[in-house]
Amino acid sequence: LDKIIFIPNQIPPHRMREEEIASPIDRYNMLKLALEDHLKFKLSLLELKKKGVSYTFSTIQILKKKYPEDELFFISAIDALLKYSWHKLDQILELLSKFLAAARFNFNLKEFNKKIKDLNLKNAFKIEVFIIPYLEISGELIRNKLKNKKNINFLVPKKVENYIIKNKLYQ
């Protein structure tokens, strides 16, 4: 990929309880710190400028208009694809070149295939699963460690860890 754009959302539709997540500006600041040394990684305020719940479909429509000649890929954890109900998923797939679903090596291919079949998507062929290195790190793990006052060394970049501690996030 020529560029990867990270787009923190204003209000994630699958996380409506505010205590579960950091504020939009805190999430933006942590991402900015985490990405600052990566030239191909860009950070967008696109969804943070909007009011209300952020939906991928609307964001992809805006990106298609902004980059009409480019191939657009959407990268998400396979867990999110399987766990949450997606607003207009088939239409999202129609706008994309590929939907890249990142999976840990031990993901359940049968469960994935069944879920995709059950969704009855005409554009399911655009979903491509790829295996990521096995790291037992997740946002949920980090938030739970912080809530239980445990160390998060090496789970996030040091600058992000310092930001979380300084701003007393996820406690």
Side-chain angles (χ1 to χ4, degrees):
L1 302 173
D2 296 323
K3 171 174 44 176
I4 298 175
I5 304 171
F6 290 79
I7 308 173
N9 45 29
Q10 184 65 259
I11 301 171
H14 59 283
R15 292 211 173 119
M16 298 302 240
R17 292 190 349 228
E18 284 188 31
E19 71 272 7
E20 290 182 0
I21 60 173
S23 73
I25 195 66
D26 283 327
R27 288 184 282 115
Y28 173 84
N29 288 333
M30 288 185 285
L31 256 175
K32 186 175 181 182
L33 290 169
L35 304 178
E36 67 185 9
D37 296 329
H38 303 279
L39 298 178
K40 288 190 173 194
F41 293 173
K42 305 297 178 199
L43 186 53
S44 170
L45 290 167
L46 177 67
E47 289 192 1
L48 293 180
K49 289 179 180 179
K50 296 190 306 187
K51 299 287 183 218
V53 177
S54 299
Y55 290 102
T56 303
F57 177 69
S58 302
T59 301
I60 298 296
Q61 284 182 308
I62 293 166
L63 290 172
K64 277 301 269 189
K65 286 179 185 165
K66 186 173 182 175
Y67 304 104
E69 303 300 316
D70 292 349
E71 285 186 280
L72 292 182
F73 296 78
F74 184 83
I75 304 171
S76 176
I78 200 166
D79 311 22
L81 179 60
L82 296 175
K83 186 176 178 183
Y84 304 117
S85 99
W86 287 68
H87 178 70
K88 299 186 178 184
L89 181 56
D90 219 13
Q91 291 93 325
I92 292 169
L93 294 171
E94 192 173 311
L95 295 170
L96 296 171
S97 293
K98 287 281 183 192
F99 185 111
L100 303 174
R104 292 182 173 92
F105 78 95
N106 61 346
F107 91 102
N108 187 326
L109 182 60
K110 278 186 180 180
E111 179 188 337
F112 171 77
N113 286 335
K114 181 185 179 328
K115 170 76 174 189
I116 296 302
K117 185 179 181 200
D118 290 348
L119 290 172
N120 196 29
L121 303 167
K122 70 178 181 182
N123 293 297
F125 67 94
K126 290 190 173 186
I127 299 172
E128 186 173 310
V129 176
F130 68 99
I131 307 300
I132 57 174
Y134 183 70
L135 296 171
E136 206 49 55
I137 299 173
S138 69
E140 183 178 2
L141 170 75
I142 293 165
R143 288 188 299 274
N144 285 337
K145 282 186 168 288
L146 289 162
K147 189 172 17 175
N148 294 309
K149 303 202 182 325
K150 294 193 175 172
N151 193 320
I152 60 165
N153 280 344
F154 310 110
L155 297 178
V156 297
K158 193 66 178 167
K159 289 179 182 179
V160 174
E161 180 183 0
N162 291 338
Y163 183 92
I164 290 169
I165 292 166
K166 177 182 173 190
N167 292 284
K168 297 178 172 79
L169 301 178
Y170 309 114
Q171 298 173 17

